[in-house]
Coordinates of all heavy atoms in Angstrom, one line a residue:
P298 N 88.7 75.2 79.7 CA 89.3 75.4 81.0 C 89.4 76.9 81.4 O 89.5 77.7 80.5 CB 90.7 74.8 80.9 CG 90.6 73.9 79.7 CD 89.6 74.5 78.8
S302 N 92.6 82.3 89.3 CA 92.0 83.5 90.0 C 93.1 84.6 90.0 O 92.7 85.8 89.9 CB 91.6 83.1 91.4 OG 92.7 82.6 92.1
D338 N 114.6 109.0 75.9 CA 114.9 109.2 74.5 C 116.4 109.5 74.3 O 116.9 109.7 73.2 CB 114.0 110.2 73.8 CG 114.3 111.6 74.3 OD1 114.9 111.8 75.4 OD2 113.9 112.6 73.7
K340 N 120.4 109.1 74.1 CA 121.2 108.0 73.6 C 121.9 107.2 74.7 O 122.4 107.8 75.6 CB 122.2 108.6 72.6 CG 123.1 107.5 71.9 CD 124.1 108.2 71.0 CE 125.0 107.1 70.3 NZ 126.1 107.7 69.5
A345 N 128.7 101.7 76.1 CA 127.8 100.5 76.2 C 127.5 99.9 74.8 O 127.5 98.7 74.6 CB 126.5 100.9 76.9
R354 N 132.5 86.2 71.4 CA 132.4 84.9 72.1 C 132.1 83.8 71.0 O 131.3 84.1 70.1 CB 131.3 85.0 73.1 CG 131.7 85.9 74.3 CD 130.5 86.1 75.3 NE 130.9 86.8 76.4 CZ 131.1 86.3 77.6 NH1 131.0 85.0 77.8 NH2 131.5 87.0 78.7
A373 N 129.2 97.1 93.2 CA 129.5 97.4 94.6 C 130.3 98.7 94.7 O 130.1 99.6 95.6 CB 130.3 96.3 95.2
S395 N 112.3 94.6 87.8 CA 111.0 93.9 88.0 C 111.2 92.5 88.6 O 110.5 92.1 89.5 CB 110.2 93.9 86.7 OG 109.9 95.1 86.2
P408 N 101.4 83.6 101.3 CA 100.1 84.0 100.9 C 99.3 84.6 102.1 O 99.3 84.0 103.2 CB 99.5 82.7 100.4 CG 100.6 81.9 99.9 CD 101.8 82.3 100.8
V432 N 99.1 90.7 100.0 CA 98.1 91.8 100.0 C 98.8 93.1 100.1 O 99.5 93.4 101.1 CB 97.0 91.6 101.1 CG1 96.0 92.7 101.0 CG2 96.4 90.2 100.9
V437 N 97.4 106.3 101.2 CA 97.3 107.2 100.0 C 97.9 108.6 100.4 O 97.5 109.2 101.4 CB 95.8 107.4 99.6 CG1 95.7 108.4 98.4 CG2 95.3 106.0 99.1
E450 N 101.8 107.9 111.8 CA 100.8 107.3 112.6 C 99.8 106.5 111.8 O 99.3 105.5 112.3 CB 100.0 108.4 113.4 CG 100.9 109.1 114.5 CD 101.8 110.1 113.9 OE1 101.7 110.5 112.7 OE2 102.7 110.6 114.6
T457 N 99.2 95.0 111.2 CA 98.5 93.8 111.8 C 99.5 92.7 112.0 O 100.6 92.8 111.5 CB 97.3 93.4 110.9 OG1 97.9 92.7 109.8 CG2 96.5 94.6 110.5
L493 N 110.1 94.6 110.5 CA 109.5 94.5 109.2 C 110.6 94.5 108.1 O 111.7 95.0 108.3 CB 108.5 95.6 108.9 CG 107.3 95.8 109.9 CD1 106.6 97.1 109.5 CD2 106.4 94.6 109.9
Y501 N 115.9 105.4 90.6 CA 116.0 106.7 90.0 C 116.9 107.6 90.9 O 116.8 108.8 90.8 CB 114.6 107.4 90.0 CG 113.7 106.7 89.0 CD1 112.7 105.7 89.5 CD2 113.7 106.9 87.7 CE1 111.9 105.0 88.6 CE2 112.8 106.3 86.8 CZ 111.9 105.3 87.3 OH 111.1 104.7 86.4
I539 N 117.9 96.0 77.8 CA 118.9 94.9 78.1 C 118.4 94.1 79.3 O 119.0 93.0 79.6 CB 120.3 95.5 78.3 CG1 120.4 96.3 79.6 CG2 120.8 96.3 77.1 CD1 121.9 96.6 80.0
V572 N 126.8 94.5 78.5 CA 126.5 95.9 78.2 C 126.4 96.7 79.6 O 127.0 97.8 79.7 CB 125.2 96.1 77.4 CG1 124.8 97.6 77.3 CG2 125.3 95.4 76.1
I599 N 106.6 121.2 83.9 CA 105.8 121.6 85.1 C 105.2 123.0 84.8 O 104.0 123.3 85.1 CB 106.6 121.6 86.3 CG1 107.2 120.2 86.6 CG2 105.8 122.0 87.5 CD1 106.1 119.1 86.6
G601 N 104.6 124.4 81.9 CA 103.6 124.3 80.9 C 102.3 123.7 81.3 O 101.3 124.2 81.0
A621 N 99.7 114.8 87.4 CA 98.9 116.0 87.2 C 97.5 115.8 87.4 O 96.9 114.8 87.0 CB 99.2 116.6 85.8
K678 N 105.1 120.8 71.8 CA 104.0 120.4 71.0 C 103.0 119.5 71.7 O 101.8 119.7 71.5 CB 104.6 119.6 69.8 CG 105.5 120.4 68.9 CD 106.2 119.5 67.8 CE 107.2 120.3 67.0 NZ 107.9 119.5 66.0
V682 N 99.0 120.4 72.3 CA 98.0 119.4 71.9 C 97.1 119.1 73.1 O 95.9 119.0 72.9 CB 98.6 118.2 71.2 CG1 97.5 117.1 71.0 CG2 99.3 118.5 69.9
R684 N 96.5 120.9 75.7 CA 95.6 122.1 75.9 C 94.4 122.1 75.0 O 93.3 122.3 75.4 CB 96.4 123.4 75.8 CG 95.6 124.7 76.0 CD 96.4 125.9 75.5 NE 97.5 126.2 76.5 CZ 97.3 127.1 77.5 NH1 96.2 127.8 77.6 NH2 98.3 127.3 78.3

Side-chain angles (χ1 to χ4, degrees):
S302 58
D338 68 341
K340 184 182 176 183
R354 289 174 177 256
S395 296
V432 179
V437 178
E450 292 79 13
T457 74
L493 305 174
Y501 297 95
I539 69 169
V572 175
I599 301 307
K678 295 173 185 175
V682 171
R684 178 190 287 263

